[in-house]
Amino acid sequence: MSAPTEDEGTGRAIDRRLPEGRSIAITGACSFLGRNLVGVLEEDPSVGRVVVLDVATPPTAGKKTRSYRVDLTDPSASARLAETMHAERVDTVVHLAFLSIPTAAEGWAHELESVGTMHVANASRDANVKRFVHSSATTLYGPHPSNPNFLDERKPLRGIAGCRFLADKIEAEREVGRLADDRPEMDVIVLRFAPILGPTVHSWTTRWLARRFVPTLLGHDPLVQVVHEMDAVGALRIALDARGARGAYNIVGDGVLPLSTIVKLAGRVPLPLPGPLVRFGTSALWAAGLNEAPTFFVEFLRYLCVADGARAARELGYRPSYSVREAVLDFGGALRLREARLLSEPARA
């Protein structure tokens, strides 16, 4: 039995003797989903240890958490991950290392998400983990005029032509699909989340909707679907234990609403503009680093991209606690509260 050693993420002395219970490794543990899942697992008596594989340690880490500094863009990441998974006897991997906001550093994003997923999948093969849970998004189906009212998991991931932000995530899903094909004995689960909304999550969606005047496309008002942040965390927790669950699952809120209604419920003012003006303004602001997403995302203001959550309800037992309306109201209420606090703060000299 080994003596206590220093935790690489926090510098604390930790005991390397392995406790009873499951060993769950999490990449992207400092993301919204990651840090909340770490907090949930810290309180779960069935979990013996939480193995953080990230460039930092989340603030929700506690006594169960063992943190390893791992950069998924490092060419040696596969070996580093596999070694850690073996040492910690990891039985479940939760892969959450994905960007929620587009970046102009597309080469780095590709290394993190597409190549990084390959590193995590290779390490999981080598470590013979029993379950692999992968975070994805319903936006990968893409907004297209030919989309049906509800997209089920059998529909192809078409993204948006030329959009690297979505393309890297689609490549990551394909890598996870190869893992599932190579290791049929492993439970490989993909959770495709609708845009996550709530008081504390930050993404391109929340930044767009936080504007006082929210730009929309004149003549277009597609139906929109979101999922509340706590329902998203809850779905992750369910996926860790769901027996017989394999493949992709759409994780969505209850119901759909027109885009204009979403904006108004959030307490914002919709600003319908002609398509050319929206595209020009979006392009200029993105080039200046002042916009939450590049021009490709204007398509989400134009066409439908709504997913069918029936499979997750049927096979995972996932049922959202928040409707789409309630999720938007919760987000809007928190937004107004933050604005009120800012207005009430005394001006600094």
Side-chain angles (χ1 to χ4, degrees):
M1 187 174 293
S2 60
T5 57
E6 185 177 281
D7 186 294
E8 298 181 31
T10 65
R12 297 192 305 261
I14 61 170
D15 192 342
R16 288 298 179 196
R17 291 172 295 183
L18 298 178
E20 296 297 325
R22 298 176 64 184
S23 178
I24 300 176
I26 303 176
T27 69
C30 292
S31 65
F32 167 79
L33 289 175
R35 64 178 180 269
N36 279 278
L37 182 61
V38 168
V40 168
L41 297 181
E42 279 282 350
E43 302 298 322
D44 190 329
S46 71
V47 177
R49 57 200 174 278
V50 181
V51 182
V52 165
L53 305 171
D54 206 338
V55 295
T57 302
T60 50
K63 293 181 179 179
K64 292 181 182 178
T65 301
R66 295 175 176 179
S67 185
Y68 293 84
R69 182 177 175 81
V70 180
D71 183 351
L72 295 183
T73 66
D74 191 318
S76 64
S78 291
R80 169 75 165 144
L81 289 165
E83 178 186 10
T84 304
M85 290 178 191
H86 278 294
E88 295 289 357
R89 300 180 192 172
V90 168
D91 56 73
T92 301
V93 171
V94 185
H95 184 34
L96 307 174
F98 296 95
L99 301 176
S100 60
I101 298 174
T103 175
E106 292 184 338
W108 171 80
H110 176 76
E111 291 295 318
L112 173 67
E113 298 191 334
S114 180
V115 180
T117 298
M118 180 186 69
H119 289 315
V120 178
N122 287 341
S124 299
R125 285 187 187 93
D126 188 63
N128 293 316
V129 303
K130 296 177 181 178
R131 178 160 293 204
F132 187 101
V133 180
H134 176 82
S135 171
S136 188
T138 60
T139 52
L140 302 191
Y141 292 116
H144 298 282
S146 60
N147 280 349
N149 284 341
F150 291 94
L151 295 148
D152 65 31
E153 292 84 355
R154 295 170 296 180
K155 293 294 187 290
L157 302 180
R158 295 192 285 172
I160 302 173
C163 180
R164 287 286 299 274
F165 181 76
L166 299 182
D168 287 336
K169 291 173 173 59
I170 292 172
E171 284 185 23
E173 263 219 44
R174 288 172 180 158
E175 186 64 45
V176 172
R178 286 189 282 272
L179 173 65
D181 292 340
D182 293 345
R183 295 296 172 89
E185 74 281 3
M186 186 187 299
D187 292 334
V188 178
I189 300 169
V190 175
L191 300 183
R192 293 176 183 159
F193 295 100
I196 301 172
L197 211 58
T200 64
V201 68
H202 297 285
S203 67
W204 68 269
T205 306
T206 62
R207 289 179 62 178
W208 166 77
L209 198 52
R211 297 178 177 188
R212 177 72 62 184
F213 296 93
V214 179
T216 61
L217 275 182
L218 187 65
H220 295 272
D221 196 16
L223 293 176
V224 173
Q225 178 184 58
V226 299
V227 62
H228 191 273
E229 59 185 43
M230 288 298 98
D231 283 328
V233 175
L236 273 176
R237 184 64 192 88
I238 290 170
L240 294 179
D241 291 330
R243 293 185 178 180
R246 292 182 177 182
Y249 297 90
N250 295 328
I251 304 299
V252 302
D254 184 20
V256 295
L257 290 171
L259 179 64
S260 59
T261 302
I262 294 276
V263 174
K264 292 173 184 176
L265 286 175
R268 321 322 275 173
V269 179
L271 184 62
L273 297 169
L277 181 59
V278 174
R279 289 180 176 83
F280 175 79
T282 301
S283 178
L285 289 171
W286 176 252
L290 299 175
N291 203 51
E292 61 275 354
T295 312
F296 302 110
F297 285 74
V298 173
E299 295 303 296
F300 284 106
L301 308 180
R302 186 180 182 189
Y303 296 124
L304 185 74
C305 184
V306 171
D308 184 350
R311 186 177 187 227
R314 184 175 64 250
E315 298 185 17
L316 295 180
Y318 163 79
R319 288 175 177 79
S321 299
Y322 290 79
S323 67
V324 169
R325 177 180 292 271
E326 290 166 339
V328 177
L329 288 172
D330 197 28
F331 167 78
L335 192 61
R336 288 189 290 273
L337 182 60
R338 285 196 294 271
E339 291 171 343
R341 285 175 177 169
L342 288 173
L343 289 174
S344 65
E345 289 180 356
R348 295 183 179 179

